[in-house]
Amino acid sequence: MITEPKNGLVDWHSIKWDKVNKTVRNLRQRIYRATQSGEWKQVRNLQKLMLRSLSNTLLSVKRVTQENQGKDTSGIDRMKSLTPEQRVKMVNDVMEYQPYKAKPVRRVYIPKANGKKRPLGIPILKDRVMQAVVKNALEPEWEARFEANSYGFRPGRGCHDAIEQCHNRLRKGADIWILDADIKGAFDNISHDFLLGKIQNTPGKELIKQWLKAGYMENNVFQETQSGTPQGGVISPLLANIAFDGMENLLSEFKKEKVSKKSQGTRKRKFNKYGFIRYADDFIITAETKEDIELITPIIEQWLTQRGLALSKEKTQITNIEQGFDFLGFTVRQFKEKCLIKPSKAKIKTLLGKVRQWLNDHKMAKPEVVINQLNPLLRGWGNYYSKVVSKDVFSYIDHEIFKALWRWAKRRHPNKGKQWIKAKYFKVIGSRDWNFADWAKGRREGEKKLITLIKLSEIQILRHVKVKDTASPDDPSLKAYWEKRKTTEGKNFWSKGSTYYKVAENQNWKCPVCKEHIMNGEELHIHHVIAVKDGGEDRIDNLVHLHKSCHISLHNRKVEH
């Protein structure tokens, strides 16, 4: 365990993150193992230890203030990302025993795809840190209890696992009917009584109750919360998963018989009648016949009612695989008796709309700015859809973006000919023509480098390997399995033989500062061992992959005497 100094934490950049990570990981694994063994007294004792752990507090402050996407969004305290000194104060405040009272969340709204707005509840910074502390104590217990086909907001799992399970269930043609379900205001309507009853006597339960009942501020007016978990809270996705847990077990009670003929005679075997895939509050149920789906729908509705929830009549539909359905931004549909998964038309339209709108709003932007603006958007979109049948879609998007860029370029030079415009904005690189490219300033004095707009069609399509069964990173027996998955992710992220690929290999895919795998979900930076200003070059032996927070810490760490 990391022990707290007598006078509290002093210097943020002196923290040994490898020891912090190891302490929290070991505690999580012990909680996981004790849950698997049904040693509930041991589980509760270990959870109490986690809640008091300085390492857990340090990691929670780091994640909330440096890593999480919402670090720059403030609650009613108006506090956002902290300075190192403020993080130290936050750690010492959290570790100091004092009566705790949760503050109301700040209600904000974000646009939804259908034009409506989704309410978010942003807790104050200290509440978010406390939620992260409690989450580390509660999550490993439930990771040992969660069902196999639940994929949303769980460590080591994601959208691509859910989509791959869709393919596994529907590819053989046995299940051809789907209940494409949508829960009406899922996060806003979860019953507090049901959720607290399911958590039972977990340490930290009273804190969770406070967060659920804290209410929210909107236009400086306080509103009470009688149900729901505020979207925007660190612990809210975990609480939602706990509330939704059990649907797969319910469906597994319904069996079907299959008769197989063998030389010894016929043999009857029982199989699950229904397939099930859930990502947070989005789920689908598959079956062989429409009658089976119609039979299970009222049973699911009753199950949801116990949790204070209901299916949306407008959005929930029963559909055939030949008609297809959209799930997590993908379209799943059967073509000529083959189940294919592609990017949904709505997501394609949204991406192209963003590109065209940006170009329209920035008619006089430099080509360098256009490339730096669009490349992250295109690369992120392409990587997300590179695990399914996207090659034709990628080529279509490339063509549409080329047309948008050509219109943008012609509008800038109405009196110039096509050949002049082509020569100015589009270059030949290798054997490939019509590359939107520009010369940009390099890191060294007087250095120029050619930057190019990426083409989605050049992103490699690689099938995603679904996470197996109920596997969890908190299971110590699966350490090698998770290391291999992360390394495979890294090998697919960079082209084999590229500089960054070789750099990752040289450091054995580990961050040398925190000793964690570089592909752990954190943002990556490239570090020069010998700084560029001191003559350091972009050679493999001078480059190191670091997590963003580790890179910042390395540059700010005080020299130890």
Side-chain angles (χ1 to χ4, degrees):
M1 289 287 294
I2 302 289
T3 55
E4 184 181 9
K6 287 185 178 180
N7 297 321
L9 181 68
V10 177
D11 179 23
W12 182 258
H13 298 301
S14 68
I15 297 169
K16 305 295 184 184
W17 289 110
D18 54 338
K19 294 182 180 179
V20 169
N21 286 317
K22 184 178 180 180
T23 299
V24 174
R25 180 169 55 249
N26 287 346
L27 268 177
R28 285 183 64 109
Q29 290 177 349
R30 290 173 66 188
I31 294 169
Y32 184 93
R33 284 199 305 265
T35 304
Q36 281 188 316
S37 304
E39 301 172 5
W40 295 109
K41 185 176 180 180
Q42 176 75 345
V43 170
R44 302 308 175 215
N45 287 337
L46 288 169
Q47 287 175 328
K48 290 175 184 176
L49 191 60
M50 180 71 91
L51 293 177
R52 297 193 301 266
S53 166
L54 172 61
S55 292
N56 187 18
T57 301
L58 289 169
L59 203 58
S60 298
V61 170
K62 179 187 176 188
R63 286 177 176 167
V64 168
T65 63
Q66 290 186 276
E67 296 172 10
N68 289 359
Q69 287 186 344
K71 64 181 182 293
D72 293 323
T73 306
S74 63
I76 60 172
D77 59 347
R78 298 298 174 183
M79 289 180 66
K80 296 192 282 190
S81 297
L82 303 181
T83 64
E85 293 74 22
Q86 289 172 320
R87 290 187 203 112
V88 168
K89 184 178 185 306
M90 178 68 74
V91 170
N92 292 329
D93 287 348
V94 170
M95 291 301 297
E96 181 183 341
Y97 177 79
Q98 53 188 333
Y100 181 80
K101 176 66 176 175
K103 294 286 193 291
V105 300
R106 181 168 73 94
R107 174 63 64 91
V108 297
Y109 294 89
I110 59 173
K112 296 171 66 173
N114 59 7
K116 296 182 180 179
K117 291 188 175 182
R118 183 191 305 277
L120 291 185
I122 311 299
I124 66 168
L125 206 57
K126 187 174 182 180
D127 281 350
R128 274 181 270 173
V129 170
M130 290 297 298
Q131 287 183 16
V133 168
V134 174
K135 182 183 177 184
N136 264 335
L138 187 62
E139 189 171 54
E141 174 197 340
W142 282 93
E143 275 297 303
R145 300 168 66 176
F146 280 146
E147 298 160 324
N149 290 310
S150 157
Y151 300 102
F153 302 110
R154 292 182 56 191
R157 293 170 177 248
C159 296
H160 295 109
D161 295 302
I163 287 298
E164 190 61 26
Q165 179 59 21
C166 285
H167 187 262
N168 291 345
R169 187 73 192 187
L170 297 167
R171 67 182 173 181
K172 295 180 180 178
D175 287 358
I176 60 173
W177 287 94
I178 300 99
L179 175 67
D180 182 10
D182 185 274
I183 300 174
K184 191 174 182 179
F187 280 82
D188 296 330
N189 294 309
I190 294 173
S191 167
H192 289 173
D193 291 339
F194 176 85
L195 186 55
L196 292 170
K198 202 164 182 181
I199 292 172
Q200 296 180 336
N201 61 338
T202 301
K205 179 180 178 180
E206 289 305 312
L207 292 176
I208 294 172
K209 185 176 181 180
Q210 282 196 47
W211 293 322
L212 293 175
K213 302 291 186 183
Y216 63 90
M217 297 292 293
E218 185 174 13
N219 298 324
N220 294 321
V221 178
F222 174 77
Q223 304 284 346
E224 293 185 350
T225 46
Q226 302 299 329
S227 63
T229 62
Q231 294 186 66
V234 174
I235 203 171
S236 295
L238 173 60
L239 296 179
N241 274 332
I242 292 171
F244 291 129
D245 186 60
M247 195 182 299
E248 187 172 358
N249 287 335
L250 171 69
L251 294 171
S252 67
E253 297 174 7
F254 298 87
K255 303 292 183 181
K256 61 183 177 183
E257 280 190 348
K258 282 190 176 181
V259 179
S260 57
K261 293 183 179 180
K262 295 190 175 181
S263 57
Q264 298 86 354
T266 59
R267 182 182 176 187
K268 291 183 178 180
R269 296 180 64 188
K270 287 189 175 182
F271 295 85
N272 288 339
K273 180 182 286 189
Y274 297 102
F276 174 76
I277 301 101
R278 180 175 69 83
Y279 188 93
D281 59 324
D282 292 328
F283 68 92
I284 64 166
I285 297 173
T286 68
E288 287 184 348
T289 67
K290 187 176 182 180
E291 289 73 21
D292 287 338
I293 294 294
E294 290 173 339
L295 176 68
I296 201 65
T297 301
I299 296 172
I300 293 296
E301 287 178 328
Q302 184 181 0
W303 186 88
L304 290 171
T305 301
Q306 299 169 4
R307 290 150 175 78
L309 302 170
L311 292 176
S312 168
K313 300 296 182 184
E314 300 79 22
K315 297 179 182 178
T316 299
Q317 59 178 345
I318 297 174
T319 185
N320 188 279
I321 187 60
E322 291 186 356
Q323 180 184 347
F325 64 96
D326 287 353
F327 187 55
L328 303 178
F330 298 86
T331 294
V332 185
R333 188 178 176 187
Q334 187 169 293
F335 295 88
K336 297 179 181 180
E337 299 184 352
K338 188 173 184 179
C339 180
L340 298 180
I341 302 176
K342 299 182 177 184
S344 72
K345 289 182 179 179
K347 296 300 181 182
I348 297 170
K349 184 178 179 181
T350 299
L351 173 69
L352 290 174
K354 285 182 180 178
V355 172
R356 290 166 182 154
Q357 186 63 51
W358 193 90
L359 291 173
N360 191 54
D361 293 341
H362 298 81
K363 296 181 177 69
M364 301 311 296
K366 293 180 179 180
E368 175 188 352
V369 175
V370 174
I371 294 168
N372 289 333
Q373 178 69 29
L374 296 187
N375 268 356
L377 174 65
L378 296 175
R379 189 177 290 110
W381 201 93
N383 288 340
Y384 183 74
Y385 289 106
S386 65
K387 309 293 191 293
V388 296
V389 186
S390 299
K391 206 68 179 177
D392 290 344
V393 172
F394 284 177
S395 295
Y396 166 75
I397 291 173
D398 283 343
H399 183 61
E400 290 298 311
I401 290 176
F402 165 75
K403 290 196 297 185
L405 288 168
W406 185 250
R407 288 193 299 269
W408 175 85
K410 286 202 302 180
R411 193 165 51 220
R412 290 163 67 94
H413 307 283
N415 300 320
K416 295 292 185 180
K418 292 180 180 179
Q419 288 300 321
W420 186 92
I421 293 173
K422 178 184 183 298
K424 182 172 177 62
Y425 293 103
F426 297 90
K427 295 176 172 47
V428 178
I429 299 177
S431 60
R432 197 183 72 190
D433 199 359
W434 290 98
N435 297 281
F436 188 82
D438 191 27
W439 290 99
K441 184 179 179 181
R443 298 187 63 168
R444 294 172 182 83
E445 187 70 29
E447 183 184 46
K448 291 281 187 179
K449 60 179 181 178
L450 187 66
I451 59 173
T452 312
L453 188 72
I454 66 168
K455 290 184 180 291
L456 293 183
S457 55
E458 294 184 351
I459 294 177
Q460 188 177 7
I461 303 295
L462 290 169
R463 199 63 183 255
H464 178 74
V465 178
K466 187 182 79 71
V467 63
K468 66 179 184 180
D469 198 30
T470 57
S472 170
D474 290 319
D475 187 346
S477 67
L478 295 177
K479 179 181 177 181
Y481 169 79
W482 288 105
E483 287 291 311
K484 184 178 179 181
R485 278 186 72 86
K486 290 174 183 175
T487 301
T488 300
E489 180 186 349
K491 288 180 177 180
N492 294 337
F493 186 76
W494 292 297
S495 301
K496 190 171 184 179
S498 67
T499 300
Y500 287 171
Y501 185 100
K502 291 177 181 177
V503 169
E505 277 194 321
N506 284 351
Q507 60 191 83
N508 199 26
W509 303 93
K510 300 281 186 180
C511 172
V513 175
C514 66
K515 304 298 190 293
E516 295 292 298
H517 202 287
I518 59 174
M519 304 305 291
N520 69 347
E522 294 182 48
E523 183 180 343
L524 286 177
H525 278 190
I526 193 76
H527 170 68
H528 290 76
V529 178
I530 301 175
V532 174
K533 64 182 178 63
D534 297 328
E537 298 180 359
D538 293 337
R539 296 197 320 267
I540 293 171
D541 58 355
N542 192 49
L543 301 177
V544 181
H545 291 297
L546 298 177
H547 298 124
K548 179 181 177 181
S549 57
C550 295
H551 195 199
I552 295 170
S553 180
L554 185 66
H555 279 289
N556 288 281
R557 189 171 291 168
K558 294 179 179 178
V559 179
E560 296 181 3
H561 297 283

